Amino acid sequence: MRKKIIKSKKPKEKRKNLIPGTAVYVGNKEQHNLHIEVFDYDKERYEERILEHVDEAFSFEDEQTITWINLNGLNYVQDIERLGKHYDLHPLTIEDIANTSQRPKIEEFEDYTYLVLKMLYYNEQNELVIEHISFVLGSNYVISFQEADGDVFDEVRNRIRNLKGRVRNSGADYLQYVLMDAIVDHYFTLLEVMSDNIESLEDALFESSENEGLAQEIQELKREVLRVRRAVVPLREVISRISKSDSDLFTEKTNIFINDLYDHIIQVSESIDLYREMTWGLMDMYMTTISNKMNEVMKVLTIISTIFIPLSFFAGLYGMNFEHMPELDYRYGYFILLGIMGLAVIGMLYYFKRKKWL
């Protein structure tokens, strides 16, 4: 059964004529409660806390530990501004954090690096969700800003809790890589679903092209692929700039992993371009199938018309009201004429069959 493709709402437009650096939430995901979680760890220990107020995050200042602050709820602009002020973030950075229409990018500052990515997944209603997520990477901390609850970082949390992998033995830059890698890895899961949708539509096209909603489903799938492409393709430039960056925040050891991440995003981009061509091909296939169906109908009608042309000739010939027509007085003329008509029909059907027109 094909997944129903549902249009997503467009994000709210950014208010105009505001002073540069003014943070305004641009999005549709409203959250009732601000949710902040903090992981503070080193090789020997880790601490996990859920905070009720953003001010509580200011107490994690130990330079010997790595701190990950994950804030859910971009509509809480004042709390984001307070957190940004504490970590001395540029006003334009805070503005971009709340602006969900911002494309993936990287900006390097003296004390931190700011990154924008898009987290892609299908929700329980099988709707494509493109969630804006920002990262601020410092010397010993990573701050992530999400639109709402729910993400792809559960495996990262488990690594920190259970001392799995390199994350507890590495710096903040490796934590940043691991978070980005989790997002990119989930792109592959999304591509699998998208591939299944394309294949199911292909099967539906061959089974029946008379489904009135099929063309609309193909069109919606095309838009979905384009939305994913706009969210993913700019990430190639972001990761490429990280690998070539002279910033001290990314160590040479971590850059090895960043290069591998770049290979993954190239693979994702190529797959998306392939699916884009396939969705365009689906529409062409749909139009071709409709055209073939119409040709079959016209072929049957043409054959029927061709069969009745000689029959109409005979009927018209002997339907004329001339006085001197010898065949009209013949006792078996009617039956002979019907026989000739029948032989003409059989002869034409045999000829059409030989020509493989039937």
Side-chain angles (χ1 to χ4, degrees):
M1 185 176 181
R2 299 193 302 277
K3 177 185 76 65
K4 184 179 180 181
I5 301 173
I6 306 175
K7 293 182 181 179
S8 62
K9 297 179 180 179
K10 293 183 179 180
K12 301 173 185 177
E13 293 184 359
K14 184 178 177 182
R15 282 183 276 174
K16 300 178 181 179
N17 302 323
L18 293 176
I19 300 174
T22 303
V24 178
Y25 174 58
V26 181
N28 293 313
K29 298 180 178 64
E30 302 292 341
Q31 183 167 316
H32 298 294
N33 298 311
L34 178 67
H35 181 78
I36 304 174
E37 61 177 341
V38 176
F39 284 85
D40 189 70
Y41 63 88
D42 57 18
K43 296 180 181 179
E44 306 298 332
R45 50 166 290 277
Y46 92 96
E47 179 182 1
E48 179 180 355
R49 289 178 57 187
I50 303 297
L51 309 183
E52 296 182 359
H53 303 285
V54 69
D55 296 348
E56 299 177 40
F58 303 159
S59 61
F60 295 90
E61 299 288 349
D62 189 355
E63 295 183 357
Q64 303 302 318
T65 60
I66 305 300
T67 304
W68 174 26
I69 301 174
N70 185 35
L71 185 148
N72 293 335
L74 299 186
N75 51 312
Y76 291 88
V77 177
Q78 293 182 349
D79 294 283
I80 295 174
E81 289 176 338
R82 294 174 67 180
L83 188 63
K85 183 177 181 181
H86 177 78
Y87 283 94
D88 197 23
L89 302 184
H90 195 280
L92 291 178
T93 298
I94 299 175
E95 177 185 352
D96 288 342
I97 289 173
N99 182 12
T100 61
S101 62
Q102 184 64 249
R103 70 195 297 270
K105 69 174 184 177
I106 178 174
E107 292 180 347
E108 295 179 330
F109 296 86
E110 183 176 355
D111 298 324
Y112 69 91
T113 297
Y114 173 64
L115 298 106
V116 177
L117 283 80
K118 300 295 180 180
M119 190 159 52
L120 311 178
Y121 57 90
Y122 287 107
N123 60 17
E124 296 178 353
Q125 290 74 36
N126 285 328
E127 297 174 325
L128 174 65
V129 178
I130 301 180
E131 185 174 341
H132 178 79
I133 182 167
S134 302
F135 295 99
V136 174
L137 169 65
S139 58
N140 67 326
Y141 67 86
V142 174
I143 308 175
S144 54
F145 300 88
Q146 301 182 41
E147 286 190 72
D149 289 335
D151 54 38
V152 297
F153 300 141
D154 287 341
E155 181 60 30
V156 178
R157 296 182 180 95
N158 291 332
R159 292 185 199 177
I160 296 175
R161 293 170 183 145
N162 303 321
L163 194 59
K164 293 171 59 178
R166 300 180 178 86
V167 63
R168 289 272 294 272
N169 298 316
S170 304
D173 58 334
Y174 186 80
L175 173 63
Q176 178 66 75
Y177 155 73
V178 170
L179 295 173
M180 295 173 63
D181 185 60
I183 293 175
V184 173
D185 281 347
H186 207 75
Y187 289 169
F188 288 99
T189 303
L190 180 135
L191 290 178
E192 290 179 3
V193 177
M194 191 170 291
S195 175
D196 292 340
N197 293 337
I198 295 175
E199 290 179 2
S200 62
L201 283 175
E202 285 181 342
D203 294 338
L205 276 174
F206 284 109
E207 291 172 1
S208 173
S209 61
E210 298 177 359
N211 187 347
E212 295 180 357
L214 201 56
Q216 183 177 358
E217 288 188 49
I218 295 174
Q219 190 65 25
E220 291 298 329
L221 183 60
K222 284 172 58 179
R223 293 174 183 170
E224 191 174 277
V225 172
L226 290 176
R227 291 177 60 215
V228 172
R229 188 176 187 275
R230 285 195 296 267
V232 172
V233 170
L235 191 56
R236 294 188 300 186
E237 180 184 352
V238 173
I239 298 177
S240 176
R241 284 188 56 187
I242 293 175
S243 62
K244 299 175 183 178
S245 174
D246 295 329
S247 174
D248 296 333
L249 295 176
F250 285 98
T251 63
E252 184 176 351
K253 184 178 179 181
T254 302
N255 278 337
I256 298 175
F257 296 98
I258 295 294
N259 291 332
D260 181 68
L261 184 62
Y262 181 75
D263 293 337
H264 291 171
I265 199 63
I266 289 294
Q267 184 178 349
V268 171
S269 299
E270 291 176 348
S271 297
I272 292 174
D273 289 337
L274 175 62
Y275 293 158
R276 182 189 180 193
E277 295 298 325
M278 290 176 69
T279 53
W280 280 98
L282 283 177
M283 185 57 72
D284 293 339
M285 187 186 302
Y286 176 78
M287 298 304 297
T288 300
T289 306
I290 293 295
S291 178
N292 289 338
K293 290 288 184 180
M294 183 61 68
N295 289 339
E296 289 294 327
V297 173
M298 295 304 297
K299 178 180 176 182
V300 172
L301 294 177
T302 301
I303 290 175
I304 293 174
S305 300
T306 304
I307 290 175
F308 275 90
I309 286 175
L311 302 185
S312 299
F313 169 75
F314 289 128
L317 178 64
Y318 288 99
M320 295 185 294
N321 294 321
F322 290 110
E323 182 176 354
H324 301 288
M325 291 186 69
E327 294 86 354
L328 295 179
D329 296 328
Y330 190 66
R331 180 177 180 181
Y332 301 104
Y334 172 72
F335 300 102
I336 294 174
L337 181 60
L338 288 181
I340 293 174
M341 288 182 177
L343 290 175
V345 171
I346 294 172
M348 283 187 290
L349 290 175
Y350 176 75
Y351 180 77
F352 294 155
K353 193 71 174 178
R354 286 288 302 272
K355 288 291 186 178
K356 296 182 179 180
W357 294 346
L358 288 176

